[in-house]
Amino acid sequence: MTSQPHKITVLVPKTSDDPNPIIHQATVSAPTNIACIKYWGKANPQYNTPINSSLSVSLDQSDLRAVTTASASSSFDRDRLWLNGSEVLDAATSKRFRACVDGVRALATDKVVVDPANGANRVVVTKDDWRGMHVHIASYNTFPTAAGLASSAAGYAALVAALVRLFGAEESYPGEFTAIARQGSGSACRSLYGGFVAWRAGGAKSDWSDSIAEQVADELHWEEVRAVILVVSDAKKETSSTDGMSDSVATSELLAFRAREIVPKRMKIIEEAIKAKDFESFGKVTMMDSNQFHATCLDTYPPIFYMNDVSRSVVQMIHKYNAWAGEIRAAYTFDAGPNAVLYTLDKHVVELLALVLKYYPALSDDLVGDYVSNLALAKEALEFKLCPSLMAAVEKTGRVHKHGDVKMVYCTRGGPGPQTLDPCDGVFDFKIE
């Protein structure tokens, strides 16, 4: 897990033309989102649009979020970007970065402040002034990057949201900010809203402006839903999502059939399940879609392997758990990586976590606070008595009580979209000299 880095110190020189540089800043956090109906494959790489619609849950930001500070000044001599404390030297020429910065800046409005002397509004930056300023951006994640936990989605959503606050940007049509965010990272568009979010594939318009995210239900609609995330690996994945999608589109006949015939039906099923708070239907379609997504990866030539043996053991455990319960109490989903996201309801979360800690334990009960994000819930789970018949069913799969297969367990829930943070939470420490 990546914690907040030390402030990034940047020297801003005084000049005869600008002896007192003014730096405008905005700091925003944005959630990661985990897809239940997966997006995989680009319809138009130029616009970064998908071959099928998708749906995800935006997670609470207590543990999993990206934090971004966007700043602009006429004293900056170039655009710069820092990620997790390190500067990205080629950021200014990155197509994705440019699409977000330039896209939001084109929607900028005048920055108006209230004059304390007379209470009148005063324009301090015009929308044309913004166009003449370079930007400095700093962002960090509080969870593993590039390991299949949608770090890029949170990061680009935070970038766009911070730029919107900085420039006072206003949409020219509903969902335009999400259209900009998806040009940075496709699934980032879904992280601009909280709760349950659909990304409509679009394509009816030539400029793909209809490929936008829409909120299906906010985070308060179905508050009982919980997510238990098993970080099987925090290493960067061998095949990036971008490369994997390109290979799948080029070689997998199953992928094209899925996008055309399967996903539209599943989108309807899951949206109805969410609105009705029907976990049985929600859980079943979530697991089936995860399985089919990874089947398309196997159908790609050469095949792509995102899940590993630990991932597959989690799948087996969840199916044994649901069969034992006689209902779907937990639903797994895996994005492009080996990490498991297990959806459940609040009334079952202690039992599910007890099962996880039984077969994917911390090194010792004394260290569970460093292993599970919610210590109080972990203690409840450790005291919970699992049914012997459930344990016998799981152990028939060959799973044993084994340390080290899981690096970290996050216990979380659905949460809101981007949040504006206090200036003191900003990542930069500008020194004017």
Side-chain angles (χ1 to χ4, degrees), residues 272-292:
E272 290 177 351
I274 290 165
K275 290 172 183 176
K277 302 181 183 179
D278 174 3
F279 191 82
E280 186 81 15
S281 297
F282 172 86
K284 181 178 180 180
V285 75
T286 293
M287 289 186 285
M288 289 178 69
D289 206 71
S290 177
N291 294 341
Q292 190 177 75

Side-chain angles (χ1 to χ4, degrees), residues 61 115 232 267 360 420-421:
Q61 297 180 44
D115 192 325
V232 174
M267 287 291 291
Y360 306 89
T420 300
L421 305 183

Side-chain angles (χ1 to χ4, degrees), residues 1-165:
M1 183 171 67
T2 304
S3 59
Q4 179 171 356
H6 294 296
K7 298 276 187 177
I8 295 171
T9 300
V10 179
L11 301 180
V12 180
K14 295 180 181 180
T15 66
S16 57
D17 293 333
D18 192 4
N20 296 298
I22 297 174
I23 300 170
H24 307 276
Q25 297 190 75
T27 300
V28 167
S29 66
T32 186
N33 72 76
I34 302 297
C36 301
I37 305 298
K38 306 296 188 184
Y39 143 60
W40 194 251
K42 300 180 190 299
N44 187 307
Q46 178 185 351
Y47 291 99
N48 206 31
T49 54
I51 62 172
N52 63 266
S53 297
S54 58
L55 185 142
S56 63
V57 181
S58 293
L59 298 180
D60 184 78
Q61 297 180 44
S62 298
D63 293 305
L64 305 167
R65 65 177 183 168
V67 176
T68 297
T69 296
S71 58
S73 176
S74 57
S75 297
F76 295 161
D77 62 356
R78 65 191 188 280
D79 292 339
R80 300 173 70 184
L81 171 67
W82 288 260
L83 295 179
N84 293 320
S86 299
E87 185 168 7
V88 181
L89 297 179
D90 61 350
T93 58
S94 163
K95 178 184 175 183
R96 294 182 176 194
F97 179 76
R98 288 259 58 92
C100 293
V101 173
D102 298 340
V104 177
R105 183 157 41 198
L107 303 175
T109 62
D110 296 344
K111 182 176 181 178
V112 178
V113 299
V114 177
D115 192 325
N118 55 25
N121 289 338
R122 179 166 60 90
V123 176
V124 293
V125 183
T126 69
K127 60 183 179 182
D128 291 329
D129 289 338
W130 289 123
R131 296 188 180 98
M133 296 183 189
H134 288 291
V135 296
H136 285 6
I137 310 291
S139 183
Y140 67 90
N141 297 325
T142 61
F143 56 97
T145 298
L149 287 176
S151 59
S152 62
Y156 276 102
L159 170 62
V160 168
L163 290 167
V164 167
R165 306 294 192 276

Side-chain angles (χ1 to χ4, degrees), residues 253-271:
E253 295 179 12
L254 174 59
L255 181 65
F257 178 80
R258 162 184 160 74
R260 183 179 66 253
E261 301 292 339
I262 305 299
V263 171
K265 299 173 187 176
R266 288 181 175 171
M267 287 291 291
K268 183 178 180 181
I269 290 169
I270 201 165
E271 289 187 51

Side-chain angles (χ1 to χ4, degrees), residues 194-348:
F196 302 87
V197 185
W199 176 13
R200 308 302 181 189
K205 296 184 177 181
S206 60
D207 64 353
W208 292 89
S209 58
D210 55 345
S211 182
I212 58 175
E214 295 178 346
Q215 188 179 61
V216 173
D218 68 23
E219 64 274 14
L220 301 178
H221 167 72
W222 198 1
E223 293 186 277
E224 296 85 1
V225 174
R226 296 290 183 270
V228 177
I229 302 174
L230 280 59
V231 180
V232 174
S233 172
D234 55 8
K236 186 175 181 178
K237 55 198 174 192
E238 182 178 337
T239 304
S240 72
S241 294
T242 299
D243 290 343
M245 287 186 202
S246 177
D247 291 344
S248 293
V249 168
T251 65
S252 174
E253 295 179 12
L254 174 59
L255 181 65
F257 178 80
R258 162 184 160 74
R260 183 179 66 253
E261 301 292 339
I262 305 299
V263 171
K265 299 173 187 176
R266 288 181 175 171
M267 287 291 291
K268 183 178 180 181
I269 290 169
I270 201 165
E271 289 187 51
E272 290 177 351
I274 290 165
K275 290 172 183 176
K277 302 181 183 179
D278 174 3
F279 191 82
E280 186 81 15
S281 297
F282 172 86
K284 181 178 180 180
V285 75
T286 293
M287 289 186 285
M288 289 178 69
D289 206 71
S290 177
N291 294 341
Q292 190 177 75
F293 159 55
H294 287 279
T296 63
C297 292
L298 289 174
D299 190 51
T300 301
Y301 188 82
I304 305 168
F305 303 97
Y306 286 121
M307 295 172 65
N308 60 20
D309 288 344
V310 177
S311 309
R312 288 184 282 272
S313 73
V314 173
V315 169
Q316 290 179 301
M317 180 184 75
I318 295 303
H319 279 293
K320 292 296 184 182
Y321 174 45
N322 290 336
W324 168 83
E327 62 179 348
I328 294 178
R329 291 189 180 179
Y332 58 78
T333 188
F334 295 81
D335 277 352
N339 301 317
V341 178
L342 309 179
Y343 288 117
T344 189
L345 296 175
D346 180 62
K347 61 185 177 181
H348 300 310

